[in-house]
Amino acid sequence: MRQAIVALASGVLFGMGLALSGMTDPVRVRAFLDVTGAWDPTLAFVMWGALLPMGFAWMIVRRRTRPVVAEAFHLPATSPIDARLISGAALFGTGWGLAGLCPGPALAALAIAPGPALVFVLFMMIGFGLFRLLPTAR
């Protein structure tokens, strides 16, 4: 139960940060990606604002033997860079550039602009389902 509460609180804090910084606005995100036009560096500042405290958090976590609200750390295994990863990254980047949203901001945007965000989230869920249908590399 404590894990679920911490996860929910973390998600709410993340969503509030995205909404407060304006990163749920696709126009602002697209302006960051438009480096040859009317470039808006706001997203870079938001990223740095997230990376700095995360760096300190990792320094603290590395010293711990176990998490605060779990029995053990569950870190993903490292996997090689392959065609599946590269094509997934390219598809993600294309969708981000076209829609101006990625999964986190899209979910946060459901509370702010549910119409456009719902369309994005619906297609994102379809993409998740299609990914599960694809064969995995051995």
Side-chain angles (χ1 to χ4, degrees):
M1 182 64 167
R2 285 178 45 194
Q3 283 179 290
I5 292 169
V6 169
L8 178 64
S10 299
V12 168
L13 181 63
F14 179 70
M16 287 172 43
L18 290 171
L20 208 71
S21 64
M23 293 304 110
T24 58
D25 180 6
V27 173
R28 177 168 270 170
V29 175
R30 273 192 230 109
F32 172 75
L33 298 172
D34 185 12
V35 293
T36 61
W39 185 63
D40 179 2
T42 308
L43 181 56
F45 292 113
V46 171
M47 283 190 232
W48 275 106
L51 286 172
L52 289 174
M54 193 63 225
F56 289 118
W58 273 111
M59 287 172 34
I60 294 167
V61 165
R62 285 184 168 186
R63 294 184 180 137
R64 299 188 57 83
T65 56
R66 73 178 202 72
V68 176
V69 294
E71 294 301 317
F73 288 109
H74 301 284
L75 301 174
T78 303
S79 57
I81 296 174
D82 57 5
R84 186 178 169 106
L85 175 66
I86 292 170
S87 60
L91 188 59
F92 176 87
T94 302
W96 186 36
L98 290 173
L101 290 170
C102 63
L107 293 175
L110 285 173
I112 297 166
L118 189 59
V119 172
F120 180 88
V121 170
L122 176 67
F123 279 95
M124 180 176 72
M125 294 298 174
I126 291 169
F128 289 165
L130 290 174
F131 174 80
R132 292 211 175 253
L133 294 175
L134 292 174
T136 58
R138 303 235 180 251

